[in-house]
Amino acid sequence: MSASSHVTPEDIPVQLPDGLSRDQLNEFKPFTNWIETLKRSLSLQKNPSHPFHDDPYALRHVNVQSFDRFGGGRLGFVKISASVTNSAGESLPAIALLRGPSVAMLVMLIPDDVAPDSEERYVVLTVQPRIPAASLGLVELPAGMVDDAGSFKGAAAKEMEEELGIAIKEDELTCLSDLAAPEKESEEGIAAAMFPSPGGCDEHITIYSHERRIPRSQLQEWSGRLTGLRSHGEKITLKVAPMKDLWRVGGRDAKCLAAVALWEGLRREGKV
């Protein structure tokens, strides 16, 4: 595959593969957000207290190794290899899959025959094929990517309706990630979200929760229900698990474990 070189608005040389133009890359928000955030992080090295102040690192160039498109030709995933070095020639690991932000939903069901202060609640999980994980039945929290046109809350509400069959208003969602964010914002400007694989991927997941009381008989109806958009290749089965067992039932899913930690921590502080 031949390649050509271009320069981003930040004057960083970028090597592009055939089939991907500079304009297309610059319109891909995960790439521009990554550049802008990394630029802010690197600028903090000017502070004398920064550990890299004496010999700061700089982003020298970016090589786009490959890319994938979604339906309609929209750019979906971009794999890059970047050069981030200091004057001594020391480099930082900088190979990344850029795919953008996602949302995950902790949906808790409370039987309507229990007392308001009861600890009994259940969580709705999805069971679906995840070929990258070599599984045809991975148990996880409902989740979905955030496209360029949508808000995080809107994406969460949409995924709930598509995957769980629940129509919910955005103002009925609680953002656990925001509630758990440090009072002092990160100077780097990185998202207040969970990064499941920061050593190799830019994806960050904002976690929302929602509670609703339902008839106890409906719990069984939910478990085993087939959902998902078949036109998108989604073959999802719902699973209902007790909240107290969620850390074990969803133990292979980073979203699930993060949601448990956030919810329990926020609950101890009286924020949920």
Side-chain angles (χ1 to χ4, degrees), residues 70-102:
F70 293 155
R74 182 168 63 91
L75 202 57
F77 302 138
V78 171
K79 184 174 181 288
I80 65 167
S81 173
S83 174
V84 181
T85 63
N86 60 14
S87 61
E90 299 169 329
S91 63
L92 299 176
I95 295 176
L97 175 68
L98 304 181
R99 56 167 291 169
S102 301

Side-chain angles (χ1 to χ4, degrees), residues 110-119 213:
I110 304 173
D112 61 3
D113 59 358
V114 302
D117 59 349
S118 171
E119 294 295 314
R213 296 180 73 89

